[in-house]
Amino acid sequence: MSIEKVQKAINRLSNLKAEISDQFEELKAEVNRRFASHAKRRDDEIFRPLPAPTGLDMSLMDALKNRRSQRNFSNEPLSDQVVANLLFAADGINRKGGKRTTPSALDWRETDVYLLKANGIWLWVPERNGLLFCAMKDVREETYLLNAQLTLPPLEIVFVTNYARTRSLLTDAVETIAPKIKKAAVDEADLREMRIRACHLDVGAKLQSVYLAASAMGLACVARTGFSAEKIVAALRLKPDEVVVAAQSLGYPAKSILDHLK
Ligand SMILES: Cc1cc2nc3c(=O)[nH]c(=O)nc-3n(C[C@H](O)[C@H](O)[C@H](O)COP(=O)(O)O)c2cc1C
């Protein structure tokens, strides 16, 4: 490879790094605006890097065989490694260009993944493999319509669709070009419905991916749409074009009554 080519590659890499870093600063500022939570916090409290995902070694066949919904959780917290593995399954970067372990329509990457834990609300940042602190409030219980559980799961994952992200140059181009090729107008309502359907399917893929990772790690897990969207919207301070599509509860399965003691 010539020196010029190497130099160009280095420049491209440093531009990419700068881009990601700029977006991260923007994200931090946005979360700060929303939650006003960072003002008195040190940098290492605002961002919690997670370990690289590892140890999901069960065969896919066994993970599929073990996959089930379980609703009886132990109060034992999940380690950062377990959380990192779950998030890698849900929305980890597995290729160049920031592409993810789960698909999204037109590569919109419109789903934000929030974690609700005893120690607060966190936002998953795939580009950094870590969690951005949002607020020191335990809102897990608030997400339930009816809480019939003995113990709250140590982790609630909340999948939020950001519809603003489904508007991109490429999407607009596809939507403008398609009717020209078909020589027929595409109905606005149809397009809207198509977007909503696609976003919900994107979350569905994440749910199953997390179910399989949970199965491989022997965790109890259940997908949920039975939650109070209104309460989650308030807790996460979501904007009008951000919609809570699903939640997923995770923890170790409770084995005895002692697992429920606070
Ligand atoms: C989109 C979706 C929403 C769900 N919502 C809830 C829920 O709100 N509460 C609940 O206890 N289980 C919920 N479940 C879990 C289903 O009840 C469960 O998948 C079903 O009973 C089949 O059991 P299995 O997952 O063990 O195969 C949901 C599952 C899906 C896929």
Side-chain angles (χ1 to χ4, degrees), residues 87-173:
L87 290 168
F88 181 69
D91 191 37
I93 293 181
N94 67 355
R95 278 162 295 158
K96 280 198 301 227
K99 294 211 163 189
R100 309 292 160 91
T101 50
T102 47
S104 69
L106 283 164
D107 199 18
W108 281 328
R109 303 177 200 171
E110 78 284 4
T111 313
D112 285 328
V113 181
Y114 287 87
L115 303 193
L116 313 183
K117 306 203 301 167
N119 67 359
I121 303 172
W122 301 80
L123 174 63
W124 164 238
V125 188
E127 294 81 4
R128 299 275 169 142
N129 192 51
L131 300 172
L132 193 53
F133 172 78
C134 298
M136 192 149 36
K137 204 173 165 216
D138 182 2
V139 293
R140 289 171 300 160
E141 187 140 28
E142 288 178 27
T143 67
Y144 285 82
L145 280 176
L146 255 186
N147 188 5
Q149 306 188 14
L150 279 169
T151 308
L152 282 170
L155 175 64
E156 296 282 358
I157 301 184
V158 177
F159 297 100
V160 173
T161 288
N162 184 338
Y163 282 107
R165 248 176 262 151
T166 68
R167 280 258 162 242
S168 67
L169 267 182
L170 178 65
T171 315
D172 288 346

Coordinates of all heavy atoms in Angstrom, one line a residue, residues 87-173:
L87 N -27.1 -6.4 26.0 CA -27.2 -5.3 25.1 C -26.5 -5.5 23.8 O -27.0 -5.0 22.7 CB -26.6 -4.1 25.8 CG -27.4 -3.6 27.0 CD1 -26.7 -2.6 27.9 CD2 -28.7 -3.0 26.5
F88 N -25.5 -6.3 23.8 CA -24.9 -6.7 22.5 C -25.9 -7.5 21.7 O -26.0 -7.2 20.5 CB -23.6 -7.6 22.7 CG -22.9 -8.0 21.5 CD1 -22.3 -7.0 20.7 CD2 -23.0 -9.3 21.0 CE1 -21.7 -7.4 19.5 CE2 -22.3 -9.7 19.8 CZ -21.7 -8.7 19.1
A89 N -26.7 -8.4 22.3 CA -27.7 -9.1 21.6 C -28.8 -8.2 21.1 O -29.3 -8.3 20.0 CB -28.3 -10.2 22.5
A90 N -29.2 -7.2 21.9 CA -30.3 -6.3 21.5 C -29.9 -5.4 20.4 O -30.6 -5.2 19.5 CB -30.7 -5.5 22.8
D91 N -28.7 -4.8 20.6 CA -28.4 -3.6 19.7 C -26.9 -3.4 19.7 O -26.4 -2.2 19.8 CB -29.1 -2.4 20.3 CG -29.1 -1.2 19.4 OD1 -29.2 -1.4 18.1 OD2 -29.0 -0.1 19.9
G92 N -26.1 -4.5 19.6 CA -24.6 -4.3 19.6 C -24.1 -4.0 18.2 O -24.7 -4.4 17.2
I93 N -22.9 -3.4 18.2 CA -22.3 -3.2 16.9 C -21.4 -4.4 16.5 O -20.6 -4.8 17.3 CB -21.4 -1.9 16.9 CG1 -22.4 -0.7 17.0 CG2 -20.6 -1.8 15.6 CD1 -21.8 0.6 17.0
N94 N -21.7 -5.0 15.4 CA -21.0 -6.3 15.1 C -20.2 -6.2 13.8 O -19.6 -7.1 13.3 CB -21.9 -7.5 15.0 CG -22.9 -7.4 13.9 OD1 -23.0 -6.4 13.2 ND2 -23.7 -8.5 13.7
R95 N -20.3 -5.0 13.1 CA -19.6 -4.8 11.8 C -19.1 -3.4 11.6 O -19.5 -2.5 12.4 CB -20.5 -5.1 10.7 CG -20.7 -6.5 10.3 CD -22.0 -6.7 9.5 NE -23.1 -6.4 10.3 CZ -24.3 -6.0 9.8 NH1 -24.5 -5.9 8.5 NH2 -25.3 -5.7 10.6
K96 N -18.4 -3.2 10.5 CA -18.0 -1.8 10.2 C -19.3 -0.9 10.0 O -20.3 -1.5 9.7 CB -17.2 -1.8 8.8 CG -15.8 -2.3 9.0 CD -15.0 -1.9 7.8 CE -15.6 -2.5 6.5 NZ -14.8 -3.1 5.6
G97 N -19.1 0.4 10.1 CA -20.2 1.3 9.8 C -21.2 1.3 10.9 O -22.3 1.8 10.6
G98 N -20.9 0.8 12.0 CA -21.8 0.9 13.1 C -23.0 0.0 13.0 O -24.0 0.2 13.7
K99 N -22.9 -1.0 12.1 CA -24.1 -1.9 11.9 C -24.3 -2.8 13.1 O -23.3 -3.1 13.8 CB -23.9 -2.6 10.6 CG -24.0 -1.7 9.4 CD -24.5 -2.3 8.2 CE -24.9 -1.3 7.2 NZ -25.7 -1.9 6.1
R100 N -25.5 -3.3 13.3 CA -25.9 -3.9 14.5 C -26.2 -5.4 14.5 O -26.4 -5.9 13.4 CB -27.2 -3.2 15.0 CG -27.2 -1.7 15.1 CD -26.2 -1.2 16.1 NE -25.8 0.2 15.9 CZ -26.5 1.3 16.4 NH1 -27.5 1.1 17.2 NH2 -26.0 2.5 16.1
T101 N -26.3 -6.0 15.6 CA -26.6 -7.4 15.7 C -28.0 -7.7 15.4 O -28.4 -8.8 15.0 CB -26.4 -7.9 17.2 OG1 -27.1 -7.0 18.1 CG2 -24.9 -8.0 17.5
T102 N -28.9 -6.7 15.4 CA -30.3 -6.9 15.0 C -30.6 -5.9 13.9 O -30.1 -4.8 13.8 CB -31.3 -6.6 16.2 OG1 -30.9 -5.4 16.8 CG2 -31.2 -7.7 17.2
P103 N -31.5 -6.4 13.0 CA -31.7 -5.5 11.8 C -32.7 -4.4 12.1 O -33.4 -4.4 13.0 CB -32.4 -6.5 10.8 CG -33.1 -7.5 11.7 CD -32.2 -7.6 13.0
S104 N -32.6 -3.3 11.2 CA -33.6 -2.3 11.3 C -34.0 -1.8 9.9 O -33.1 -1.8 9.0 CB -33.1 -1.1 12.2 OG -32.1 -0.4 11.5
A105 N -35.2 -1.5 9.7 CA -35.7 -1.1 8.4 C -34.9 0.0 7.8 O -34.7 1.0 8.5 CB -37.2 -0.7 8.4
L106 N -34.4 -0.1 6.6 CA -33.6 0.9 6.0 C -32.4 1.4 6.8 O -31.9 2.5 6.7 CB -34.5 2.1 5.6 CG -35.3 1.9 4.3 CD1 -36.4 3.0 4.2 CD2 -34.5 2.0 3.1
D107 N -32.0 0.5 7.7 CA -30.9 0.8 8.6 C -31.1 2.1 9.4 O -30.2 2.9 9.6 CB -29.6 0.9 7.8 CG -28.3 0.7 8.7 OD1 -28.5 0.2 9.9 OD2 -27.2 1.1 8.3
W108 N -32.4 2.4 9.8 CA -32.7 3.6 10.5 C -32.1 3.7 11.9 O -31.8 4.8 12.4 CB -34.2 3.7 10.7 CG -35.0 4.1 9.5 CD1 -34.7 5.0 8.5 CD2 -36.4 3.7 9.2 NE1 -35.7 5.1 7.6 CE2 -36.7 4.3 8.0 CE3 -37.3 2.8 9.8 CZ2 -38.0 4.2 7.4 CZ3 -38.5 2.7 9.2 CH2 -38.9 3.3 8.1
R109 N -31.9 2.5 12.5 CA -31.4 2.4 13.9 C -32.2 3.4 14.8 O -31.6 4.2 15.5 CB -29.9 2.8 13.9 CG -29.1 2.0 13.0 CD -27.6 2.4 13.0 NE -26.9 1.9 11.8 CZ -25.7 2.2 11.5 NH1 -25.0 3.1 12.2 NH2 -25.2 1.7 10.4
E110 N -33.5 3.2 14.7 CA -34.4 4.2 15.3 C -34.8 3.8 16.7 O -35.4 4.6 17.4 CB -35.7 4.4 14.5 CG -36.7 3.2 14.6 CD -36.3 1.9 13.8 OE1 -35.2 1.9 13.3 OE2 -37.1 1.0 13.8
T111 N -34.3 2.6 17.2 CA -34.7 2.2 18.6 C -33.6 2.6 19.6 O -32.5 2.3 19.5 CB -34.8 0.7 18.6 OG1 -35.6 0.2 17.5 CG2 -35.5 0.2 19.9
D112 N -34.1 3.4 20.6 CA -33.2 3.7 21.7 C -33.5 2.6 22.8 O -34.6 2.2 23.0 CB -33.5 5.1 22.3 CG -32.9 6.1 21.4 OD1 -31.9 5.9 20.8 OD2 -33.5 7.2 21.3
V113 N -32.4 2.2 23.5 CA -32.6 1.1 24.5 C -32.2 1.8 25.9 O -31.1 2.2 26.1 CB -31.6 0.0 24.2 CG1 -31.8 -1.1 25.2 CG2 -31.9 -0.6 22.8
Y114 N -33.2 1.8 26.7 CA -33.0 2.4 28.1 C -33.0 1.2 29.1 O -33.7 0.2 28.8 CB -34.2 3.3 28.4 CG -34.2 4.6 27.8 CD1 -34.7 4.8 26.5 CD2 -33.5 5.7 28.4 CE1 -34.7 6.0 25.9 CE2 -33.5 7.0 27.7 CZ -34.1 7.1 26.5 OH -34.1 8.3 25.9
L115 N -32.2 1.4 30.1 CA -32.2 0.4 31.2 C -32.8 1.0 32.4 O -32.4 2.1 32.8 CB -30.8 -0.1 31.5 CG -30.0 -0.7 30.4 CD1 -28.7 -1.4 31.0 CD2 -30.7 -1.7 29.6
L116 N -33.7 0.3 33.1 CA -34.2 0.8 34.4 C -33.7 -0.2 35.4 O -34.0 -1.4 35.4 CB -35.8 0.8 34.4 CG -36.5 1.4 33.2 CD1 -38.0 1.3 33.4 CD2 -36.0 2.8 33.0
K117 N -32.9 0.4 36.4 CA -32.3 -0.5 37.4 C -32.5 0.2 38.8 O -33.0 1.3 38.8 CB -30.8 -0.6 37.1 CG -30.5 -1.1 35.7 CD -29.2 -1.8 35.6 CE -28.0 -0.9 36.0 NZ -26.8 -1.6 36.2
A118 N -32.2 -0.6 39.8 CA -32.4 0.0 41.2 C -31.5 1.3 41.3 O -31.9 2.2 42.0 CB -31.9 -1.0 42.2
N119 N -30.4 1.4 40.6 CA -29.6 2.6 40.7 C -29.9 3.6 39.6 O -29.1 4.5 39.3 CB -28.1 2.2 40.7 CG -27.6 1.6 39.3 OD1 -28.4 1.5 38.4 ND2 -26.4 1.3 39.2
G120 N -31.0 3.5 39.0 CA -31.4 4.6 38.1 C -31.7 4.3 36.7 O -31.9 3.1 36.3
I121 N -31.9 5.3 35.9 CA -32.2 5.2 34.4 C -30.9 5.4 33.6 O -30.2 6.3 33.8 CB -33.3 6.2 34.0 CG1 -34.5 6.1 34.9 CG2 -33.6 6.1 32.5 CD1 -35.5 7.2 34.7
W122 N -30.7 4.5 32.7 CA -29.5 4.6 31.8 C -29.9 4.4 30.4 O -30.8 3.7 30.0 CB -28.5 3.4 32.2 CG -28.1 3.4 33.6 CD1 -28.8 3.0 34.7 CD2 -26.9 4.0 34.2 NE1 -28.1 3.2 35.9 CE2 -26.9 3.8 35.6 CE3 -25.7 4.5 33.6 CZ2 -25.8 4.2 36.4 CZ3 -24.7 4.9 34.4 CH2 -24.7 4.7 35.8
L123 N -29.1 5.0 29.5 CA -29.3 4.9 28.1 C -28.1 4.2 27.4 O -26.9 4.5 27.7 CB -29.4 6.3 27.4 CG -29.5 6.4 25.9 CD1 -30.8 5.7 25.4 CD2 -29.5 7.9 25.5
W124 N -28.4 3.1 26.7 CA -27.4 2.3 26.0 C -26.8 3.1 24.8 O -27.5 3.7 24.0 CB -28.0 1.0 25.5 CG -27.3 0.2 24.5 CD1 -27.7 -0.1 23.2 CD2 -26.0 -0.4 24.6 NE1 -26.8 -0.9 22.6 CE2 -25.7 -1.1 23.4 CE3 -25.0 -0.4 25.6 CZ2 -24.5 -1.8 23.2 CZ3 -23.8 -1.1 25.4 CH2 -23.6 -1.8 24.2
V125 N -25.4 3.2 24.8 CA -24.7 3.9 23.7 C -23.9 2.8 22.9 O -22.8 2.6 23.3 CB -23.8 5.0 24.2 CG1 -23.3 5.9 23.0 CG2 -24.6 5.9 25.2
P126 N -24.4 2.3 21.9 CA -23.7 1.2 21.2 C -22.3 1.5 20.7 O -21.4 0.8 20.8 CB -24.6 0.8 20.0 CG -25.9 1.5 20.2 CD -25.7 2.6 21.2
E127 N -22.2 2.8 20.2 CA -20.9 3.2 19.6 C -19.8 3.2 20.7 O -18.6 3.2 20.4 CB -21.0 4.6 19.0 CG -21.9 4.8 17.8 CD -23.4 4.9 18.2 OE1 -23.7 4.9 19.4 OE2 -24.2 4.9 17.3
R128 N -20.2 3.3 22.0 CA -19.2 3.4 23.1 C -19.2 2.1 23.9 O -18.6 2.1 24.9 CB -19.5 4.6 24.0 CG -19.5 5.9 23.3 CD -18.0 6.4 23.3 NE -17.9 7.5 22.4 CZ -17.1 8.5 22.7 NH1 -16.5 8.6 23.9 NH2 -16.9 9.5 21.9
N129 N -20.1 1.2 23.6 CA -20.3 0.0 24.4 C -20.4 0.4 25.9 O -19.7 -0.1 26.8 CB -19.1 -1.0 24.2 CG -19.5 -2.3 24.8 OD1 -20.5 -2.9 24.6 ND2 -18.6 -2.8 25.7
G130 N -21.3 1.3 26.2 CA -21.5 1.7 27.6 C -22.9 2.3 27.8 O -23.7 2.5 26.9
L131 N -23.0 2.8 29.1 CA -24.3 3.3 29.5 C -24.2 4.8 29.9 O -23.3 5.1 30.7 CB -24.9 2.5 30.7 CG -25.1 1.1 30.4 CD1 -25.4 0.3 31.8 CD2 -26.2 0.8 29.4
L132 N -25.1 5.6 29.4 CA -25.1 7.0 29.7 C -26.1 7.2 30.9 O -27.3 6.8 30.7 CB -25.5 7.8 28.5 CG -25.3 9.3 28.5 CD1 -23.8 9.7 28.9 CD2 -25.6 9.9 27.2
F133 N -25.6 7.8 31.9 CA -26.5 8.0 33.1 C -27.6 9.1 32.8 O -27.2 10.1 32.3 CB -25.6 8.5 34.3 CG -26.4 8.9 35.5 CD1 -27.0 7.9 36.3 CD2 -26.6 10.2 35.7 CE1 -27.7 8.3 37.4 CE2 -27.4 10.6 36.9 CZ -27.9 9.7 37.7
C134 N -28.8 8.7 33.1 CA -29.9 9.7 32.9 C -30.4 10.3 34.2 O -30.5 11.5 34.3 CB -31.0 9.1 32.1 SG -30.6 8.5 30.5
A135 N -30.8 9.4 35.1 CA -31.4 9.9 36.3 C -31.3 8.9 37.4 O -31.4 7.7 37.2 CB -32.9 10.3 36.1
M136 N -31.1 9.4 38.7 CA -30.9 8.5 39.8 C -32.3 8.2 40.4 O -32.6 8.6 41.5 CB -30.0 9.1 40.8 CG -29.6 8.0 41.8 SD -28.0 8.2 42.6 CE -27.7 9.9 42.8
K137 N -33.1 7.5 39.7 CA -34.5 7.3 40.1 C -34.8 5.8 39.8 O -34.6 5.4 38.6 CB -35.5 8.2 39.4 CG -36.7 8.5 40.2 CD -37.5 9.6 39.6 CE -38.9 9.5 40.2 NZ -40.0 9.8 39.3
D138 N -35.3 5.1 40.7 CA -35.7 3.7 40.5 C -37.2 3.7 40.0 O -38.1 3.9 40.9 CB -35.5 2.8 41.7 CG -35.9 1.4 41.4 OD1 -36.3 1.0 40.3 OD2 -35.8 0.6 42.4
V139 N -37.4 3.6 38.7 CA -38.8 3.7 38.2 C -39.3 2.3 37.8 O -40.4 2.2 37.1 CB -38.9 4.7 37.1 CG1 -38.7 6.1 37.6 CG2 -38.0 4.3 35.9
R140 N -38.6 1.2 38.1 CA -39.1 -0.1 37.6 C -40.5 -0.4 38.0 O -41.3 -0.8 37.1 CB -38.1 -1.2 38.2 CG -36.7 -1.2 37.7 CD -35.9 -2.1 38.4 NE -35.8 -1.8 39.8 CZ -35.4 -2.6 40.8 NH1 -35.1 -3.8 40.5 NH2 -35.3 -2.2 42.1
E141 N -40.9 -0.1 39.2 CA -42.2 -0.5 39.6 C -43.3 0.3 38.9 O -44.4 -0.2 38.6 CB -42.4 -0.3 41.2 CG -43.7 -0.8 41.7 CD -43.6 -1.5 43.0 OE1 -42.6 -1.1 43.8 OE2 -44.4 -2.4 43.3
E142 N -43.0 1.6 38.6 CA -43.9 2.4 37.9 C -44.3 1.9 36.5 O -45.3 2.3 36.0 CB -43.3 3.8 37.7 CG -43.2 4.6 39.0 CD -42.6 6.0 38.7 OE1 -42.7 6.5 37.6 OE2 -42.0 6.5 39.7
T143 N -43.5 1.0 36.0 CA -43.8 0.6 34.6 C -44.9 -0.4 34.5 O -45.4 -0.8 33.5 CB -42.5 0.0 33.9 OG1 -42.2 -1.2 34.6 CG2 -41.3 1.0 33.9
Y144 N -45.2 -1.0 35.7 CA -46.2 -2.1 35.7 C -47.6 -1.5 35.8 O -47.9 -0.6 36.5 CB -46.0 -3.0 36.9 CG -44.8 -3.9 36.6 CD1 -43.5 -3.5 36.8 CD2 -45.0 -5.2 36.1 CE1 -42.4 -4.3 36.6 CE2 -43.9 -6.0 35.8 CZ -42.6 -5.5 36.1 OH -41.5 -6.3 35.8
L145 N -48.5 -2.1 35.0 CA -49.9 -1.8 35.1 C -50.5 -2.4 36.4 O -51.1 -1.8 37.2 CB -50.7 -2.4 33.9 CG -50.6 -1.6 32.6 CD1 -51.4 -2.3 31.6 CD2 -51.2 -0.2 32.8
L146 N -50.1 -3.7 36.6 CA -50.6 -4.4 37.8 C -49.3 -5.2 38.2 O -48.8 -6.0 37.4 CB -51.6 -5.5 37.3 CG -53.0 -5.3 37.6 CD1 -53.8 -6.5 37.2 CD2 -53.3 -4.9 39.1
N147 N -48.8 -4.9 39.4 CA -47.6 -5.7 39.7 C -48.0 -6.9 40.6 O -48.2 -6.7 41.8 CB -46.6 -4.8 40.4 CG -45.3 -5.5 40.6 OD1 -45.2 -6.7 40.2 ND2 -44.3 -4.9 41.2
A148 N -48.0 -8.0 40.0 CA -48.4 -9.2 40.8 C -47.1 -10.0 41.2 O -47.2 -11.0 41.7 CB -49.3 -10.1 39.9
Q149 N -45.9 -9.4 40.9 CA -44.7 -10.1 41.2 C -44.2 -9.9 42.6 O -44.4 -8.8 43.2 CB -43.6 -9.6 40.2 CG -44.1 -9.7 38.8 CD -42.9 -9.4 37.9 OE1 -41.8 -9.3 38.3 NE2 -43.2 -9.1 36.6
L150 N -43.6 -10.9 43.1 CA -43.1 -10.8 44.5 C -41.9 -9.8 44.5 O -41.7 -9.0 45.4 CB -42.6 -12.1 45.0 CG -43.6 -13.1 45.5 CD1 -43.0 -14.5 45.6 CD2 -44.2 -12.6 46.8
T151 N -41.0 -9.9 43.5 CA -39.8 -9.1 43.5 C -39.7 -8.5 42.1 O -40.0 -9.1 41.1 CB -38.6 -10.1 43.6 OG1 -38.8 -10.8 44.7 CG2 -37.3 -9.3 43.7
L152 N -39.3 -7.2 42.1 CA -39.0 -6.6 40.8 C -37.8 -7.2 40.2 O -36.8 -7.4 40.9 CB -38.8 -5.1 41.1 CG -40.0 -4.2 41.4 CD1 -39.5 -2.8 41.8 CD2 -40.8 -4.1 40.1
P153 N -37.8 -7.4 38.9 CA -36.6 -7.9 38.2 C -35.5 -6.8 38.4 O -35.8 -5.6 38.3 CB -37.0 -8.0 36.8 CG -38.3 -7.2 36.6 CD -38.9 -7.1 38.0
P154 N -34.3 -7.2 38.5 CA -33.2 -6.2 38.6 C -33.0 -5.4 37.4 O -32.5 -4.3 37.5 CB -31.9 -7.1 38.9 CG -32.3 -8.5 38.5 CD -33.8 -8.6 38.6
L155 N -33.5 -5.9 36.3 CA -33.3 -5.1 35.0 C -34.6 -5.1 34.2 O -35.2 -6.1 33.9 CB -32.2 -5.7 34.2 CG -31.9 -5.1 32.8 CD1 -31.4 -3.7 33.0 CD2 -30.8 -5.9 32.1
E156 N -35.0 -3.8 33.8 CA -36.1 -3.7 32.9 C -35.4 -3.0 31.7 O -34.8 -1.9 31.8 CB -37.2 -2.7 33.4 CG -37.9 -3.2 34.6 CD -39.0 -4.3 34.2 OE1 -39.1 -4.6 33.0 OE2 -39.6 -4.8 35.1
I157 N -35.5 -3.6 30.5 CA -35.0 -2.9 29.3 C -36.3 -2.3 28.6 O -37.3 -3.0 28.5 CB -34.4 -4.0 28.3 CG1 -33.2 -4.7 29.0 CG2 -34.0 -3.3 27.0 CD1 -32.4 -5.6 28.0
V158 N -36.1 -1.1 28.2 CA -37.3 -0.4 27.6 C -36.8 0.0 26.2 O -35.8 0.7 26.0 CB -37.7 0.9 28.4 CG1 -38.8 1.6 27.6 CG2 -38.2 0.5 29.8
F159 N -37.6 -0.4 25.2 CA -37.3 -0.1 23.8 C -38.2 1.1 23.3 O -39.4 1.0 23.3 CB -37.6 -1.4 22.9 CG -36.7 -2.5 23.3 CD1 -37.2 -3.6 24.0 CD2 -35.4 -2.6 22.8 CE1 -36.4 -4.7 24.4 CE2 -34.6 -3.7 23.2 CZ -35.1 -4.7 23.9
V160 N -37.5 2.1 22.9 CA -38.2 3.3 22.5 C -37.9 3.6 21.1 O -36.7 3.7 20.7 CB -37.7 4.5 23.4 CG1 -38.3 5.8 22.9 CG2 -38.1 4.3 24.9
T161 N -39.0 3.8 20.3 CA -38.8 4.1 18.9 C -38.7 5.6 18.7 O -39.6 6.3 19.2 CB -39.9 3.6 18.0 OG1 -39.8 2.2 17.9 CG2 -39.9 4.1 16.6
N162 N -37.7 6.1 18.0 CA -37.6 7.5 17.8 C -38.0 7.7 16.3 O -37.2 7.5 15.4 CB -36.1 8.0 18.0 CG -36.0 9.5 17.9 OD1 -36.8 10.1 17.2 ND2 -35.0 10.0 18.5
Y163 N -39.2 8.1 16.1 CA -39.7 8.3 14.7 C -39.0 9.3 13.9 O -38.9 9.3 12.7 CB -41.2 8.5 14.7 CG -42.0 7.3 15.0 CD1 -42.7 7.1 16.2 CD2 -42.1 6.3 14.0 CE1 -43.4 5.9 16.4 CE2 -42.8 5.1 14.3 CZ -43.4 4.9 15.5 OH -44.1 3.7 15.7
A164 N -38.4 10.3 14.6 CA -37.6 11.3 13.9 C -36.5 10.7 13.1 O -36.2 11.2 12.0 CB -37.1 12.3 14.9
R165 N -36.0 9.6 13.6 CA -34.9 8.9 12.9 C -35.3 8.2 11.6 O -34.5 7.7 10.8 CB -34.1 8.0 13.8 CG -32.8 8.5 14.1 CD -32.1 7.6 15.1 NE -32.2 8.2 16.4 CZ -32.2 7.5 17.6 NH1 -32.2 6.2 17.5 NH2 -32.3 8.1 18.7
T166 N -36.6 8.0 11.4 CA -37.1 7.3 10.2 C -37.2 8.2 9.1 O -37.6 7.9 8.0 CB -38.5 6.6 10.5 OG1 -39.5 7.6 10.6 CG2 -38.4 5.7 11.7
R167 N -36.9 9.5 9.3 CA -36.8 10.5 8.2 C -35.3 10.7 7.9 O -34.6 11.2 8.6 CB -37.4 11.8 8.6 CG -38.9 11.9 8.6 CD -39.4 12.6 7.4 NE -40.7 12.3 7.1 CZ -41.1 11.7 6.0 NH1 -40.3 11.4 5.0 NH2 -42.4 11.5 5.8
S168 N -34.9 10.2 6.7 CA -33.5 10.4 6.3 C -33.6 10.7 4.9 O -34.6 10.4 4.2 CB -32.7 9.2 6.6 OG -33.1 8.1 5.8
L169 N -32.5 11.2 4.4 CA -32.3 11.5 2.9 C -32.7 10.3 2.1 O -33.5 10.4 1.2 CB -30.9 11.9 2.6 CG -30.6 13.4 2.7 CD1 -29.2 13.6 2.3 CD2 -31.6 14.1 1.8
L170 N -32.1 9.1 2.5 CA -32.3 7.9 1.7 C -33.8 7.5 1.7 O -34.4 7.2 0.7 CB -31.5 6.8 2.3 CG -31.6 5.4 1.7 CD1 -31.1 5.5 0.2 CD2 -30.9 4.3 2.4
T171 N -34.4 7.6 2.9 CA -35.8 7.2 3.0 C -36.7 8.1 2.2 O -37.6 7.7 1.4 CB -36.3 7.3 4.5 OG1 -35.3 6.7 5.3 CG2 -37.6 6.6 4.7
D172 N -36.4 9.4 2.3 CA -37.2 10.3 1.5 C -37.0 10.1 0.0 O -38.0 10.1 -0.8 CB -36.8 11.8 1.8 CG -37.2 12.2 3.2 OD1 -38.1 11.5 3.7 OD2 -36.7 13.2 3.7
A173 N -35.8 9.8 -0.4 CA -35.5 9.5 -1.8 C -36.3 8.2 -2.3 O -37.0 8.3 -3.3 CB -34.0 9.3 -2.0

